[in-house]
Amino acid sequence: MLRITDLRLPLNHAEPALRAAVMARLGLKRDAELVAFTVFKRAYDARRKTDIQLIYTLDCELADAAQEAALLAQGDPHLRPSPDTTYRVVAQAPVDFDASGEKLRPLVVGFGPCGLFAALVLAQMGLKPIVLERGRAVRERTKDTWGLWRQSVLQPESNVQFGEGGAGTFSDGKLWSQISDPRHLTRKVLTEFVKAGAPEEILFVSKPHIGTFRLVSMIEKMRADITALGGEIRFQQRVTDVLIEDGHIRGVTLDSGEQLRADHVVMALGHSARDTFAMLQQRGVYMEAKPFSIGFRIEHPQSVIDRARFGPNAGHPILGAADYKLVHHASNGRSVYSFCLCPGGTVVAATSEPNRVVTNGMSQYSRAERNANAGIVVGINPQDYRQDGLSSGPVNPLDGVAFQRIWESRAYELGEGGYRAPGALVGDFLKRQRSAVFGEVEPSYKPGVTLTQVADPERPVLPHYVLDAIREALPAFGRQIKGFDRPDAVLTGVETRTSSPLRITRGKDHQSLNVKGLYPAGEGAGYAGGIMSAGVDGIEVAESVGRSILGLAA
């Protein structure tokens, strides 16, 4: 098989044109010489809005293997052998793996994307994992989450952050990542999603996404696959303690008081398991503070973004709802950037703690809602925690959590309770004045948005250095995307859960630096950001667990 890269065709090319272009690129004269081809990836180049190009990566099979070899020998940088992207488990347990009771089953704590794929791969290796998820199953969890959005009733253990599927369930469902992936593990993630019911196009579009409603049924299907392979999923099982003996994990304690013995525990917590972070620190598990970002959600009419990005091709079915990626380096030394864009989506209430407000973005597969929303966030570092009323002295790994809580509580106060969020129009924010009424852009956040003076000198909704950097960045973004700084665009606060505020540091074997058998994993441990990277991390951690249990070298 040959792989062709960077094959370009016009946006509106006819279907036969693709085969013709493949034959032309390979210099084939007869149709029979090309047995078959498949699209591995399809992207687009929209820099010239009136002449948008589709960019293909294709795998091709020729009738003559010698002809393939001759083409490869020409040294064309856009032609190489097709890589083998098939996933193979690194080990396989004997059929009677746990029959004797001598080998304890591995535990997976958390059932978000990382825990889901860790459990799936462990099950595929025959290791029959036990999954402990503090929240509820995905359909019950969905009802609880809507209860917050519609009735302002928060369930602290079942919400956007906690429950089957993790925070990624209530997001845009983005399935792309910029991680290095020499083993094609992202292909494993996508393939499993397709088996679970995702549309096959996620295997080849450049920026695939699924959306919340489709994720629900897919997660249920993957759960069924794990249990069919001997795994066990337990919901509403919050881990309150870990059992550590002589520097090795020996099990966990649940909030019911039950103890489960285990020599291998995957901690796939997610970035909001603050009580579990505190427990692990109390037990001496090594961790360190890390940078993250905070800011607002910004909303524009999706049509404005589509026209700015695609010009006369706005609305084309192949292009879909337009996205963007923006960065500005502010004069105060801060970096401002767009985060987790949700085209045609909504801003959602994402808190997991009472009397605090947190925002996030969500889209359905169709991306058909009126507004586009994205985080506009500013990078902060552990030294910033000391500037906001926290205790002096060395930075504690949990100081980032305390920092988040300060601003989430402030947002609840300025939103005037009921989990309403504080907001402002961009034009008023730039003028440092309080907004009075919404314009054409209606905020999508539920339970609702309270217009306020987000930059009040005494009670700002975010640190002033964050507000100053965003105030400088918005006009700069407006020069890149026409209408981005329109006066009636809506800022809704606060976005504080962009990533974990700490890292539970691990070695090359994926184990904690000072507790053997404990495998910090995914976003909460500081090793992923988003569904894809979390899924890949879960796979790699599961492989390390499997090698350890079965006594294999890495």
Side-chain angles (χ1 to χ4, degrees), residues 111 116 120 136-143 164-165 169 192-193 195-197 212-228 233 235:
F111 204 42
L116 176 67
L120 179 65
R136 302 177 72 186
V138 67
R139 291 195 185 271
E140 290 80 5
R141 175 195 178 201
T142 299
K143 294 177 183 177
E164 183 180 23
T169 305
E192 293 291 350
F193 280 148
K195 285 171 55 180
T212 291
F213 287 166
R214 291 200 177 202
L215 276 167
V216 169
S217 59
M218 289 164 50
I219 291 166
E220 290 179 320
K221 175 63 169 61
M222 295 177 74
R223 182 215 306 167
D225 290 345
I226 293 168
T227 56
I233 317 295
F235 295 109

Side-chain angles (χ1 to χ4, degrees), residues 276-494:
T276 311
F277 295 155
M279 177 273 291
L280 292 172
Q281 186 192 44
Q282 187 177 9
R283 289 289 175 254
V285 176
Y286 183 81
M287 60 183 68
E288 54 193 335
K290 63 173 274 295
F292 62 104
S293 300
I294 59 175
F296 295 103
R297 279 269 144 187
I298 191 167
E299 291 190 85
H300 303 89
Q302 181 64 49
S303 59
V304 169
I305 306 301
D306 291 344
R307 288 194 299 271
R309 293 279 282 112
F310 298 146
N313 287 297
H316 194 287
I318 288 180
L319 300 175
D323 62 5
Y324 56 80
K325 183 177 181 180
L326 300 167
V327 180
H328 176 74
H329 300 288
S331 57
N332 66 359
R334 304 283 172 170
S335 292
V336 187
Y337 63 97
S338 59
F339 169 79
C340 190
L341 169 63
C342 296
T346 55
V347 180
V348 299
T351 188
S352 55
E353 295 181 334
N355 301 331
R356 295 192 170 100
V357 165
V358 179
T359 64
N360 196 9
M362 184 181 86
S363 296
Q364 301 301 341
Y365 177 72
S366 63
R367 289 178 165 174
E369 298 296 330
R370 182 180 182 185
N371 291 348
N373 77 82
I376 298 296
V377 296
V378 176
I380 61 171
N381 56 64
Q383 288 68 42
D384 293 318
Y385 308 156
R386 295 301 182 211
Q387 300 178 26
D388 292 275
L390 303 181
S391 59
S392 59
V395 174
N396 184 302
L398 297 180
D399 282 349
V401 171
F403 180 89
Q404 289 173 323
R405 282 173 167 158
I406 287 173
W407 302 107
E408 293 168 11
S409 296
R410 179 72 59 80
Y412 185 87
E413 171 193 333
L414 294 177
E416 299 180 359
Y419 299 100
R420 293 177 62 86
L425 304 189
V426 163
D428 295 321
F429 174 70
L430 295 176
K431 297 175 183 177
R432 303 174 185 265
Q433 64 189 29
R434 180 175 184 145
S435 300
V437 294
F438 294 109
E440 179 185 344
V441 184
E442 297 180 4
S444 58
Y445 174 93
K446 302 297 182 186
V449 175
T450 300
L451 290 173
T452 187
Q453 170 52 289
V454 296
D456 183 272
E458 300 300 324
R459 303 289 289 174
V461 74
L462 289 166
H464 283 296
Y465 56 80
V466 170
L467 299 174
D468 291 344
I470 293 175
R471 190 176 289 109
E472 181 182 316
L474 291 175
F477 293 160
R479 291 189 287 273
Q480 297 178 59
I481 296 179
K482 184 178 180 181
F484 197 88
D485 57 345
R486 57 185 283 162
D488 65 343
V490 177
L491 297 169
T492 304
V494 290

Side-chain angles (χ1 to χ4, degrees), residues 242-253:
V242 289
L243 310 177
I244 300 173
E245 299 173 5
D246 299 322
H248 199 295
I249 196 80
R250 297 303 180 194
V252 302
T253 302

